Amino acid sequence: MSYPKPPTWASRFLGWFCDEALLEEIQGDLEEAYYHRCERLGQQQARRLYIADVISFFKPYAFEKYSRVKQFLPMFDNRFKIALRNILHHKRFTFINAIGLIVGISSIVLISFFLNYELSYDQSTPGYERTYRLVNQYRDQVYTCMRFPSYYDSEGDNQMAVLEHLDNYPAVEKACHFVPSRSAIGGGGKIFAYVDDQQHELENILFTNTGPEFHELFPQQFLLGDPSSALGSFSNIILSESLAQRWFGPSWSKRRILGKTVQISEEPFTIQAVVADARPNTHFDFELILLQKDIPSWAAYTYLQLNENNDINGLLQQLNADVDLFYPGYTEDVLSKGIDAVALADIHFTPDMLYEIKPIANTGYLSTFGIVAIIILLIIWTNYANLSVAMYADRQREIGMRKVMGARPQDVAGQLLLEAVGLALLCFPFILLIVSLSLPHFNELMASEIPQDLIFSLPTIGGLLLLLIVTGLISGAYPAFVYSTRKTMHLFGQGLGIRFASRYLNFRNSLITLQFFLVVGLLSMTYFIYQQMNFIQQRDLGFTKENMLYFEIDGAEKFRALKAQLEALPEIQAVGAGGVPGADMYNQLTYKMKDTEVTLSDGTQQYIGLDAVQTLELDCPACDQLEAGKEQIFVINETAANKLAKIKGVSPEELVGEVLVTEPEWENEEFGYGVHHTIDGIIKDYKYFSLKYPNQSLLISVYREPGWVYEMMVRSNTDDWQTTLEKVKTAYSQVETERPFTPNFLEDRLRQLYESEARSGKLVAILGIVAIVLALMGLAGVVAYLAYRRQKEIGIRKVLGASVGSILLRFQREFGVLLLIAVVLALPISIFLATRWLSDFAYHIQPQAWVVAGAGLVVLLLVVTVIGIQTRRAANRPPMDVLRVN
Amino acid sequence: MHSLGNLEETILLLVLAMDEDAYGFSVSEAYREHMGKTISISAVHTVLARLEKKGLIRSELGGATSERGGRRKRIFTVTGTGETALAEIKASRQKLWSRIPRLS
């Protein structure tokens, strides 16, 4: 027989599951078949068929016969009974364990939901791996949108230039563009629609002139109407389901809404379809899709899908080589620095791009959440393991008994593991309950829209069960291993508990130290985050933000009329035009001093009224020139002044009177190049943008009477905003009849800038508290157990004359050492993590070591209290009661 | 009277035909030869076990060969009941065939 034996692992597998009575003939048959097939089909094929045969025998027919199962079943039954008895006997430990597991794992489930929600952004779009958004670098900023070739003549044909060019590349399967009105390039603000002579406000229209392509790239679910006819022609609109409900009530589908005419911005449109709302975790959304030849913007978000097996880099190379064909003069323009692409699924995570539609995710926060979830899991596991060790220590005799009766090590281990896993699984329904109850609140906290039915989906249920089983196994593994391998006689011996190599370096102490470490670290991190949020909110922004109202207004005339009316009110202190701080970053421009060569590219230009400077109480000495009669002045802020002065080698004050040139690359007839401004003064820095960015260079034109106004601010000294707001509204309605009054408070707007930070901070704080409470609960359980175990020792100490206080101190000291080790370990790690988190902010606190030490102290106090309460009872018992026991 | 499935009937026939040399592997080979399609050994085993349970065949161990790594085979032989059952099936089929008037 020249052929090697059939695969041994398969034979062994067969031997494992197969009934012994059948094994011989089956093995014989299979081996005979194998050698026959070697002759007939070759060795490889024979091996494969052999394995297939073995697997095909894996069915009840061949399984070990019932005789064995019958022996096993009563054992199994007994195990369950004992497990249940033990769980009920140790009510206190069971309760602590179960509560810990339920709360901890529920938090972990919620965090995983959230991470999954964020990380799967845009992945519901079919073919998202091949879909890209084109972005354009201009000056030092990357624009998330593609501008139309001409800013001034932005009409339908001109707007199609980029897309039409993309059609030339075989690598591009399809391309589309759109502009949501709520985005920075969509103009924002409210748009009014008239349906059946009723006025409705619209906040987010999606404008597109590439309807069919839009539907191909981002397929919409049509609830009513037909895609091809709805998307085919201009002047059609497609409602989202929620808008249809808002306009036509819950039974919109029964009313004949298709074909209805809607007036939007004085133009008629026909309702052609209703689609499902955009999924919450996509990077854009809309109330209504409006098909129009001319998109009302200077740019559009542009997307393309590649054909399969095409590389985006190749396409970008070609595109940048051919760029002059659709953007005339692009390569000659020094400011245009090339077209790039962002993969669809990366849009939500790409920071520092201009005009993104929705706020992007901060990956730093996401990983923080993930880390906290892992910390909670570790705490649960250590708690569970600690408490199991404690619980099982009482059961040595029971285990010894089992061994005497013939239980093998694996039987003992199985019993202990079964109990650990069983208790974990008991928590399953409670976890589902807690998660479903808290999900709505969680969604509110994190501004997410995680669907409730995700809880009862297969991956959640399966993952949760797996997590619970693993939790049970991990925490049961240590005691199961130790007890099952122990010599039977030792189990009956006097040695109580598990004996360890050393008194201090043992399993339980390492777990407790790990817990202390996690809690101290988490507590310090939570405090750092809290400190930073406070720091930001209380920082001097350089302007007055209290009691400030702002709203939109159409034009300078209406503004002046309203201002006159408002200033007559005694409670109004100031009214100003433009320059509302707390803005999103917008396009920057280049600037230089006329007589130096270096050009800077981080300038932000602003046009505001003198009254705005006064309303915000900005520190602008030069503005006196306006009051003296000048019509307009040009000031730069300290940041810009310092930069320019450094280049020029003079002091910032000496720049006053010099000429600054903005956009020096732009050739024109008036100045030759750029726009020339004589600097009239320097304005003190104030935080026009979020504190996340460092100070920006502001180039501000201040007007005595601004020529056009679109937003205004009102400062009041009122205590009763309700009445004042009514008065402002009345005055407003006398000036403006078309646009409704939409007031906001400046403080709210500023708070919104740090909303995502505040949300994340809150979540970390809540999770931190959960983790700390869990850890303390576990600790309380262990201490209670230790005190109980050491009753005798305590009794003897008391007999020999020790006081209650000295006994308490003894206990505390042991934990104190562990805590000290934990603080020393936590110190560098939490400082490091905090520094990384804070580096996201341009203005931030310095993480201080004393915070970590303080956190250690807080934990110490909590631990002392817990130990005190738990040991007091044991220490206060009359020693005779304890010593009499045996 | 047990009812017999199609595969059961075929295998019972094969066992009868093979006379003293029917065991798992040889039956599956014979099946391949006569029926022109393969059958897995595990399927043969299950059918044989079922037939034995119905009392249509009986088995005994014997005949170890080196080809089988020195393991014994379970040799199957058809019992009297088995032969009767086959005969009955054949008779009833025959009756049906005879009712069909013209068949080339």
Side-chain angles (χ1 to χ4, degrees):
Chain A
M1 206 106 349
S2 54
Y3 297 102
K5 287 205 157 277
T8 11
W9 65 265
S11 314
R12 219 178 285 152
F13 177 58
L14 181 71
W16 174 71
F17 71 76
C18 187
D19 192 2
E20 256 168 63
L22 296 172
L23 188 59
E24 184 174 356
E25 48 183 295
I26 290 178
Q27 259 177 347
D29 275 356
L30 290 186
E31 205 162 317
E32 198 177 338
Y34 168 76
Y35 290 122
H36 267 259
R37 284 170 184 156
C38 279
E39 300 274 352
R40 199 156 56 85
L41 307 161
Q43 195 205 324
Q44 275 217 320
Q45 184 70 7
R47 275 176 69 91
R48 232 173 280 147
L49 287 170
Y50 181 84
I51 293 166
D53 273 341
V54 167
I55 290 169
S56 73
F57 265 110
F58 191 71
K59 55 187 172 186
Y61 156 73
F63 285 166
E64 282 204 71
K65 281 306 166 222
Y66 302 109
S67 55
R68 281 225 207 154
V69 179
K70 273 178 203 147
Q71 272 176 6
F72 174 73
L73 262 183
M75 238 346 250
F76 209 66
D77 188 38
N78 170 275
R79 283 180 192 191
F80 270 116
K81 196 181 273 174
I82 298 290
L84 197 66
R85 269 187 205 158
N86 269 305
I87 286 173
L88 293 177
H89 179 68
H90 296 273
K91 282 198 188 72
R92 184 199 192 105
F93 288 133
T94 308
F95 184 72
I96 294 180
N97 252 346
I99 293 282
L101 272 184
I102 292 170
V103 173
I105 298 221
S106 303
S107 325
I108 292 170
V109 170
L110 286 174
I111 299 177
S112 343
F113 280 179
F114 183 68
L115 291 182
N116 176 50
Y117 173 86
E118 286 285 320
L119 295 175
S120 62
Y121 243 74
D122 286 312
Q123 291 186 4
S124 55
T125 306
Y128 71 89
E129 310 92 335
R130 292 181 284 128
T131 309
Y132 295 85
R133 174 201 265 176
L134 290 182
V135 298
N136 184 22
Q137 192 179 353
Y138 188 69
R139 295 203 184 91
D140 288 346
Q141 293 173 306
V142 179
Y143 289 64
T144 51
C145 48
M146 294 293 280
R147 67 176 169 88
F148 300 133
S150 159
Y151 291 99
Y152 311 106
D153 169 31
S154 174
E155 296 209 330
D157 297 332
N158 174 318
Q159 294 183 345
M160 296 302 293
V162 178
L163 294 183
E164 272 165 14
H165 183 80
L166 284 175
D167 281 344
N168 297 335
Y169 298 113
V172 179
E173 193 172 304
K174 50 210 169 197
C176 78
H177 63 198
F178 61 77
V179 175
S181 70
R182 190 147 63 188
S183 67
I185 62 168
K190 292 190 165 62
I191 300 169
F192 295 99
Y194 294 88
V195 190
D196 298 338
D197 295 327
Q198 258 194 313
Q199 181 185 279
H200 293 278
E201 280 177 16
L202 281 171
E203 278 177 351
N204 199 12
I205 300 178
L206 187 125
F207 295 103
T208 182
N209 48 14
T210 53
E213 292 83 358
F214 170 75
H215 180 56
E216 276 174 50
L217 267 156
F218 302 101
Q220 303 295 320
Q221 193 194 336
F222 277 74
L223 304 175
L224 202 64
D226 164 58
S228 55
S229 63
L231 296 157
S233 55
F234 295 133
S235 301
N236 286 351
I237 52 174
I238 296 167
L239 309 187
S240 67
E241 191 183 358
S242 51
L243 185 69
Q245 253 178 43
R246 217 165 75 208
W247 281 1
F248 304 107
S251 55
W252 56 269
S253 55
K254 295 194 187 76
R255 302 181 52 183
R256 289 190 191 160
I257 60 173
L258 294 191
K260 255 189 201 299
T261 302
V262 178
Q263 293 279 338
I264 298 172
S265 306
E266 275 139 44
E267 262 187 74
F269 291 91
T270 319
I271 300 176
Q272 286 286 7
V274 178
V275 294
D277 287 356
R279 293 170 77 101
N281 56 348
T282 45
H283 76 280
F284 67 93
D285 55 8
F286 55 84
E287 294 172 316
L288 178 145
I289 301 170
L290 190 147
L291 297 148
Q292 199 173 23
K293 187 152 183 280
D294 301 337
I295 295 178
S297 179
W298 52 272
Y301 300 99
T302 305
Y303 303 82
L304 61 87
Q305 193 167 74
L306 292 177
N307 279 312
E308 287 192 43
N309 307 324
N310 273 294
D311 178 31
I312 187 70
N313 292 321
L315 178 74
L316 284 173
Q317 255 173 23
Q318 276 185 319
L319 200 60
N320 278 307
D322 302 341
V323 62
D324 286 338
L325 295 175
F326 53 95
Y327 281 163
Y330 190 96
T331 31
E332 277 174 28
D333 180 8
V334 289
L335 299 177
S336 291
K337 295 185 178 159
I339 293 166
D340 203 351
V342 179
L344 186 61
D346 293 342
I347 288 179
H348 189 55
F349 307 100
T350 311
D352 300 329
M353 288 200 176
L354 214 52
Y355 305 144
E356 187 52 66
I357 303 174
K358 277 190 184 178
I360 58 156
N362 184 322
T363 42
Y365 291 143
L366 296 186
S367 44
T368 308
F369 299 149
I371 290 170
V372 175
I374 291 170
I375 290 180
I376 291 182
L377 194 61
L378 285 178
I379 289 180
I380 296 173
W381 283 351
T382 44
N383 263 0
Y384 203 178
N386 261 335
L387 291 172
S388 320
V389 171
M391 266 167 69
Y392 295 146
D394 270 352
R395 292 174 52 192
Q396 297 199 69
R397 289 196 181 85
E398 176 206 323
I399 292 163
M401 214 47 214
R402 278 174 185 277
K403 288 200 164 191
V404 170
M405 300 302 284
R408 292 164 296 175
Q410 58 261 46
D411 294 329
V412 173
Q415 166 77 45
L416 297 184
L417 285 177
L418 179 77
E419 283 178 29
V421 173
L423 178 57
L425 287 178
L426 278 183
C427 299
F428 176 71
F430 297 99
I431 293 172
L432 287 186
L433 184 73
I434 298 259
V435 170
S436 12
L437 289 179
S438 51
L439 190 58
H441 302 282
F442 183 86
N443 272 335
E444 198 179 325
L445 176 70
M446 297 312 291
S448 54
E449 289 177 41
I450 301 163
Q452 193 83 20
D453 48 355
L454 185 63
I455 301 171
F456 297 102
S457 68
L458 197 62
T460 309
I461 300 280
L464 185 54
L465 283 175
L466 194 70
L467 182 63
L468 286 173
I469 290 172
V470 169
T471 301
L473 289 180
I474 285 189
S475 38
Y478 181 76
F481 173 75
V482 169
Y483 287 117
S484 60
T485 54
R486 212 147 211 229
K487 287 227 168 73
T488 310
M489 278 317 288
H490 289 180
L491 290 166
F492 290 111
Q494 278 306 302
L496 287 167
I498 300 168
R499 250 180 242 264
F500 297 95
S502 132
R503 186 170 162 209
Y504 291 106
L505 193 75
N506 61 36
F507 183 68
R508 187 166 56 219
N509 280 357
S510 341
L511 285 188
I512 291 176
T513 313
L514 175 66
Q515 280 204 340
F516 280 154
F517 164 73
L518 294 175
V519 170
V520 170
L522 209 55
L523 202 60
S524 345
M525 286 303 292
T526 314
Y527 188 75
F528 287 136
I529 292 172
Y530 166 79
Q531 240 187 339
Q532 171 69 13
M533 293 329 298
N534 250 7
F535 173 77
I536 279 197
Q537 245 139 58
Q538 280 160 18
R539 212 186 133 81
D540 180 21
L541 299 170
F543 59 85
T544 309
K545 60 177 181 180
E546 291 83 16
N547 282 326
M548 192 86 91
L549 198 68
Y550 71 94
F551 48 88
E552 295 177 347
I553 186 97
D554 281 336
E557 260 175 58
K558 287 177 179 168
F559 165 71
R560 268 189 279 277
L562 182 55
K563 183 181 174 184
Q565 285 207 25
L566 290 176
E567 278 176 343
L569 297 172
E571 60 265 55
I572 301 294
Q573 289 179 309
V575 180
V580 182
D584 277 331
M585 201 64 116
Y586 55 86
N587 59 320
Q588 298 172 335
L589 80 175
T590 45
Y591 60 101
K592 64 187 277 264
M593 295 307 292
K594 194 183 175 192
D595 46 6
T596 59
E597 280 309 305
V598 185
T599 303
L600 298 169
S601 56
D602 65 338
T604 309
Q605 221 167 358
Q606 261 197 65
Y607 303 90
I608 58 176
L610 171 64
D611 45 17
V613 173
Q614 290 160 345
T615 312
L616 288 167
E617 298 185 296
L618 301 179
D619 189 356
C620 175
C623 291
D624 294 344
Q625 300 169 25
L626 290 168
E627 295 188 54
K630 232 177 156 179
E631 271 305 315
Q632 174 198 353
I633 59 166
F634 180 79
V635 294
I636 58 177
N637 70 349
E638 287 169 331
T639 307
N642 287 337
K643 281 187 192 164
L644 292 167
K646 203 170 160 199
I647 292 166
K648 215 174 165 213
V650 296
S651 73
E653 294 76 35
E654 288 174 85
L655 291 174
V656 177
E658 301 279 327
V659 174
L660 179 142
V661 184
T662 53
E663 299 186 82
E665 66 283 347
W666 179 51
E667 286 172 24
N668 58 67
E669 287 175 10
E670 193 181 353
F671 299 104
Y673 68 95
V675 182
H676 294 210
H677 311 265
T678 308
I679 299 174
D680 291 307
I682 292 165
I683 188 167
K684 200 163 182 292
D685 275 343
Y686 70 102
K687 309 290 176 209
Y688 186 62
F689 299 109
S690 162
L691 285 180
K692 271 182 273 187
Y693 311 109
N695 264 342
Q696 301 287 311
S697 299
L698 294 180
L699 315 174
I700 310 174
S701 303
V702 190
Y703 296 83
R704 194 153 61 111
E705 292 288 344
W708 50 276
V709 181
Y710 61 95
E711 58 177 4
M712 59 186 285
M713 296 174 286
V714 175
R715 181 155 54 86
S716 165
N717 58 357
T718 181
D719 295 325
D720 179 14
W721 264 111
Q722 200 88 41
T723 337
T724 313
L725 213 52
E726 273 311 308
K727 286 184 185 171
V728 177
K729 190 178 179 182
T730 318
Y732 179 90
S733 56
Q734 281 171 18
V735 190
E736 172 70 83
T737 47
E738 302 250 310
R739 180 189 278 281
F741 184 54
T742 51
N744 287 300
F745 285 101
L746 184 57
E747 280 180 292
D748 290 340
R749 168 154 154 156
L750 296 176
R751 206 171 297 125
Q752 265 175 15
L753 285 183
Y754 314 108
E755 211 187 354
S756 83
E757 281 76 14
R759 286 180 193 287
S760 308
K762 245 186 236 168
L763 183 61
V764 171
I766 292 173
L767 294 174
I769 291 168
V770 167
I772 290 162
V773 170
L774 287 182
L776 286 175
M777 262 167 56
L779 191 67
V782 171
V783 173
Y785 166 74
L786 285 182
Y788 166 73
R789 295 303 306 275
R790 286 163 69 173
Q791 282 187 86
K792 242 189 245 178
E793 180 198 323
I794 293 170
I796 292 169
R797 282 182 192 280
K798 281 184 88 174
V799 168
L800 293 177
S803 68
V804 174
S806 70
I807 290 169
L808 286 182
L809 197 66
R810 230 192 127 65
F811 264 93
Q812 310 279 18
R813 209 166 45 206
E814 282 175 28
F815 285 101
V817 174
L818 303 184
L819 185 56
L820 196 67
I821 300 172
V823 171
V824 170
L825 288 176
L827 201 68
I829 295 177
S830 24
I831 298 269
F832 169 75
L833 287 176
T835 313
R836 268 198 53 188
W837 182 77
L838 289 166
S839 64
D840 273 353
F841 293 85
Y843 301 93
H844 58 77
I845 52 160
Q846 280 305 319
Q848 304 288 336
W850 65 260
V851 172
V852 185
L857 206 64
V858 171
V859 176
L860 182 68
L861 281 177
L862 291 170
V863 169
V864 165
T865 323
V866 166
I867 295 177
I869 294 169
Q870 297 289 5
T871 41
R872 220 184 155 72
R873 209 165 11 154
N876 273 336
R877 280 179 84 178
M880 274 323 287
D881 287 1
V882 183
L883 293 176
R884 212 168 32 201
V885 174
N886 47 11
Chain B
M1 164 83 217
H2 294 286
S3 64
L4 273 184
N6 208 348
L7 182 63
E8 285 175 336
E9 187 193 334
T10 314
I11 288 192
L12 188 57
L13 269 170
L14 283 172
V15 173
L16 187 62
M18 285 166 77
D19 189 28
E20 297 288 301
D21 194 31
Y23 59 98
F25 169 67
S26 67
V27 173
S28 82
E29 283 292 288
Y31 185 90
R32 188 166 63 86
E33 227 168 89
H34 292 290
M35 306 301 289
K37 46 188 175 181
T38 55
I39 183 167
S40 81
I41 297 178
S42 73
V44 172
H45 270 261
T46 13
V47 173
L48 287 174
R50 217 182 298 143
L51 290 174
E52 191 172 9
K53 215 170 135 198
K54 290 179 181 175
L56 302 175
I57 52 176
R58 64 169 162 264
S59 71
E60 59 195 44
L61 285 171
T65 62
S66 65
E67 214 182 5
R68 301 169 60 86
R71 296 187 188 88
R72 287 172 299 170
K73 322 167 172 172
R74 185 173 289 276
I75 306 280
F76 293 91
T77 43
V78 180
T79 59
T81 338
E83 285 185 34
T84 328
L86 281 174
E88 272 173 25
I89 291 171
K90 194 184 169 193
S92 67
R93 296 268 160 89
Q94 211 77 56
K95 229 157 130 191
L96 267 176
W97 278 114
S98 63
R99 283 202 187 174
I100 299 166
R102 290 184 306 277
L103 197 83
S104 55

